[in-house]
Amino acid sequence: MYVEIVDVGPRDGLQNEKKILTPETRAELCDRLSAAGLPRVEAASFVNPKRVPQMAGAEEVMNGLDRHEGTVYAGLVLNERGYERAVEAGVDEVRYAFPVTETFARKNQNTTVEEATALAGRLVERARLDGVRVSITLSAAFGDPFEGKVEPAHVLKIAEKVSEAHPDEVVLADTIGVGVPTQVRDLVAGVAQMGVTAGCHFHDTRNTGIANAAAAVESGARVLDASVGGTGGCPFAPRATGNIATEDLVYLLHGMGHETGIDLESLIGVAEWLAERLGKELPGQVYKAGNF
Amino acid sequence: MYVEIVDVGPRDGLQNEKKILTPETRAELCDRLSAAGLPRVEAASFVNPKRVPQMAGAEEVMNGLDRHEGTVYAGLVLNERGYERAVEAGVDEVRYAFPVTETFARKNQNTTVEEATALAGRLVERARLDGVRVSITLSAAFGDPFEGKVEPAHVLKIAEKVSEAHPDEVVLADTIGVGVPTQVRDLVAGVAQMGVTAGCHFHDTRNTGIANAAAAVESGARVLDASVGGTGGCPFAPRATGNIATEDLVYLLHGMGHETGIDLESLIGVAEWLAERLGKELPGQVYKAGNF
C-alpha cells in the first residue's frame, strides 16, 4: 500500500531545536528531502517570528527552494494573517493546527476549540478559492499537557465538524507523545470512516511513535508526518526527543511491504547532513545503525 | 492480559556497555529491579569471562543477591559447562541461546545449528532433573548479520524441534534489531501454535523494537525481554542502541490495558540510578520524558 510521508523536519523539527538554522539552510534541507523522494515537505511556519525565532524568514525559505515537481511544499499557519502570508509566499498547501482541549487552545493559540474549529472551516473555504491544498491537524488528540487524558469521542466530534468542511485531510497529532496503538486504532478508524483522508503525526517522546505509526497505517491512515533524523523536542518534557524520524518510519513501512516513493539510503544521507548542521547526534536510529 | 517481562539489563544490557560494573553493583541492579516488581531478571552470564569481561563474576552476582520471593533469577549459558556453573550458583532458570544460521552459530559459539539444537534438548532434560526452569532463545531469528534475511519457515522448523523437548518457553530474538511487526506476527503465531510459551527479545537498533513488542503480544507472545534504561548496543552496528527499554515497554503495555505487575515509577527510578552508575544518558525514553 502507498503511504504518503510528510517531512515536517524543516518546521516542527527545527522549531524545537536550540540551534537556529538560516532560511538558506532550511531551504536546502527541503531540497535534499525532495531529492530523496519525499512527496511532501512542511517547509516553513507562518507564525510570529518573535514567538518562534527558529522559524523566522518563512518567505525566504520559500523563495530559496529549488522546487521539485513531485513535491508538495506546505506551510503551517495558525490564523488568517498566517494563511495570507503562506499563500502569498507560494505554498502548495496550508496546514492549520489547533488543540482539541480548551486549556491548550487558550495557552498555545489564545483561542477556544469552537473558534478554532470555525476558523478551520473558513481556511478550507479560502484555500479552495485560492487553489491551494489544505490540511487540518488536531493537536493533543492523544493526551493534553494540561488536562491529561483526552476522550476519543471528544476528538472524533471535532474531527467530524472539521471533515464537514472537506479539507484534503484531517491529521490526528500526538503532540506530547503519549499515545499507544490501541488508542491510535480507535481514533484513526473513526476518522477514516468520515470519508476524509486520515493522517497522523506522532512524537517519539515515550518511544511509542513507531508502534503508533504501524497501527495507524493498519487502521486506515494514509498520511504520516515525520521529521528527518527525528529532530525536535517537546516543550512539556525538556529531556524528551521530537517527531518520529522519517528514516525510521520508512524502514518500518518498507519492511512491512508498503510503498513510500522514498529512497532510504538518500534519506539517511540527509539525516547525516542535518546532524552536521545541528552539530549533534540526532535521535533517529536507522541513520546510525544503517539499513538492512 | 498479563505479560511477563524479563529484565535482561544486568546481562544483555551491561555486557554491551563499555563501562564495567562490579558484581556487587550488578547484584544491586537486580535487587532494585525485583523491588520494582520485575517477575524475572537475567542476573548473570555463565560464559567465559575472557570473552566477555563485563560479565566476570557471575557467581558473585548470584551470591550478592537479596533474593525476592516473587522474582525468578535467570542465568545465560552457552554450553554444558556454563549450565553446570549456573545451577551450582543457584539460578532459578537457565537460559540457553543459539543462532538459527550456520555462519552466526560458527562465529559466535563455534557450533552448528544442528549441534546447538541437540544441546538445547539435553539442557532441557538436565534442567528437569535439576529442578530449574529452562528457556531457549533462537538468536538472529529476524535477520542475520552475516547471512542477511532469515526465512520464517527456517526459524519455525528449529522452533518445532526445540519445543519437542518441552522447555518452559521458546524466545525469538531479534539480535541485530532488524525485524518489523508483520514478521513478528508470522513467527510468534507459528511458535504459539506449537503449544509452547512464546517469548520475544527485541533490540531497538532500528527503532522497531516497541512496535514489534506490541505486535508480539497481539500475536500470542506472553514473555518479553527488555533492559532497564535500554542499555546495551549492537556489536554489528557500533552507533546503535541496545535492547528495548523496560520502562518504555511497561508504558506501552499498561497503556494498551495489559498487566505486568511492575511499578513504572519505581522502574524509572532504577533507570535513573543505572544512568548514574554508567555515567551517561541511556536510550530509554520514558525515564527522560516521565510517565503520563
Side-chain angles (χ1 to χ4, degrees), chain A residues 178 206-207 218 248 251 290, chain B residues 178 185 206-207 248 251 290:
Chain A
V178 295
R206 287 168 185 84
N207 217 348
E218 290 175 332
D248 295 3
Y251 180 85
Chain B
V178 294
R185 285 189 199 118
R206 287 168 185 83
N207 217 349
D248 295 3
Y251 179 84

Side-chain angles (χ1 to χ4, degrees), chain B residues 5-75:
Chain B
I5 297 182
V6 185
D7 201 301
V8 297
R11 202 281 303 170
D12 198 20
L14 295 183
Q15 87 168 36
N16 287 297
E17 291 289 339
K18 269 185 209 143
K19 183 161 180 182
I20 298 184
L21 301 185
T22 63
E24 292 70 24
T25 305
R26 279 142 58 202
E28 185 179 348
L29 173 58
C30 296
D31 292 344
R32 287 175 182 265
L33 289 168
S34 66
L38 261 295
R40 207 188 321 171
V41 175
E42 199 172 280
S45 175
F46 294 88
V47 297
N48 185 342
K50 281 184 193 144
R51 286 194 61 189
V52 190
Q54 288 91 337
M55 290 292 104
E59 285 79 1
E60 288 167 79
V61 173
M62 292 303 300
N63 278 333
L65 294 173
D66 181 15
R67 286 173 92 132
H68 185 280
E69 214 170 316
T71 304
V72 168
Y73 298 90

Side-chain angles (χ1 to χ4, degrees), chain B residues 68-101:
Chain B
H68 185 280
E69 214 170 316
T71 304
V72 168
Y73 298 90
L76 178 78
V77 310
L78 296 182
N79 51 39
E80 296 202 70
R81 174 75 193 101
Y83 171 88
E84 285 151 17
R85 279 179 62 205
V87 172
E88 180 75 18
V91 302
D92 299 315
E93 172 179 286
V94 286
R95 304 189 104 201
Y96 170 60
F98 68 93
V100 297
T101 67

Side-chain angles (χ1 to χ4, degrees), chain A residues 144 148 178 180-182 185 204-207 210-211 218 239 241 248 251-252 255-256 285 287-290 292, chain B residues 144 148 176 178 180-182 185 204-207 210-211 218 239 241 248 251-252 255-256 285-287 289-290 292:
Chain A
D144 182 271
V178 295
V180 292
T182 39
R185 285 189 200 117
D204 219 4
T205 319
R206 287 168 185 84
N207 217 348
I210 294 290
E218 290 175 332
R239 292 162 72 204
T241 55
D248 295 3
Y251 180 85
L252 174 94
M256 293 180 80
Q285 300 273 22
Y287 97 90
K288 285 174 279 206
F292 179 69
Chain B
D144 181 90
I176 58 170
V178 294
V180 292
T182 39
R185 285 189 199 118
D204 219 4
T205 319
R206 287 168 185 83
N207 217 349
I210 293 291
E218 290 175 333
R239 292 163 71 205
T241 54
D248 295 3
Y251 179 84
L252 174 93
M256 293 181 79
Q285 300 274 20
V286 168
Y287 97 90
F292 178 69

Side-chain angles (χ1 to χ4, degrees), chain A residues 32-260:
Chain A
R32 287 176 181 266
L33 289 168
S34 65
L38 261 296
R40 207 187 322 173
V41 175
E42 199 171 279
S45 175
F46 294 88
V47 299
N48 186 343
K50 281 184 193 143
R51 286 193 62 189
V52 189
Q54 287 92 336
M55 289 292 105
E59 284 79 1
E60 289 167 79
V61 173
M62 292 304 299
N63 278 331
L65 292 174
D66 181 15
R67 286 172 91 133
H68 185 280
E69 213 170 316
T71 305
V72 168
Y73 298 89
L76 178 77
V77 309
L78 295 182
N79 52 38
E80 296 201 71
R81 173 77 193 103
Y83 171 87
E84 286 150 18
R85 280 179 62 203
V87 172
E88 180 76 17
V91 301
D92 300 314
E93 172 179 286
V94 287
R95 304 189 104 202
Y96 170 59
F98 68 93
V100 298
T101 66
E102 296 299 345
T103 316
F104 201 8
R106 181 60 60 200
K107 292 203 186 215
N108 199 56
Q109 283 155 241
N110 195 28
T111 187
T112 66
V113 174
E114 196 182 341
E115 285 166 3
T117 308
L119 177 56
R122 277 204 304 287
L123 293 178
V124 173
E125 271 180 47
R126 293 190 66 172
R128 290 291 165 246
L129 291 172
D130 290 324
V132 295
R133 287 176 47 91
V134 55
S135 166
I136 308 293
T137 292
L138 306 185
S139 305
F142 296 82
D144 182 271
F146 309 106
E147 298 185 14
K149 304 277 174 206
V150 173
E151 285 303 317
H154 171 72
V155 179
L156 291 175
K157 209 171 61 186
I158 300 169
E160 183 79 56
K161 277 189 204 148
V162 169
S163 62
E164 282 165 10
H166 302 295
D168 287 291
E169 73 205 6
V170 172
V171 178
L172 298 158
D174 188 7
T175 311
I176 56 169
V178 295
V180 292
T182 39
Q183 205 180 357
V184 171
R185 285 189 200 117
D186 289 348
L187 282 173
V188 170
V191 171
Q193 71 188 27
M194 290 171 193
V196 68
T197 298
C200 284
H201 174 107
F202 295 117
H203 281 243
D204 219 4
T205 319
R206 287 168 185 84
N207 217 348
T208 58
I210 294 290
N212 290 342
V217 169
E218 290 175 332
S219 310
R222 292 295 163 262
V223 176
L224 289 173
D225 289 359
S227 79
V228 61
T231 53
C234 182
F236 306 101
R239 292 162 72 204
T241 55
N243 298 92
I244 54 172
T246 314
E247 63 279 10
D248 295 3
L249 178 60
V250 170
Y251 180 85
L252 174 94
L253 293 175
H254 289 185
M256 293 180 80
H258 300 301
E259 287 154 35
T260 66

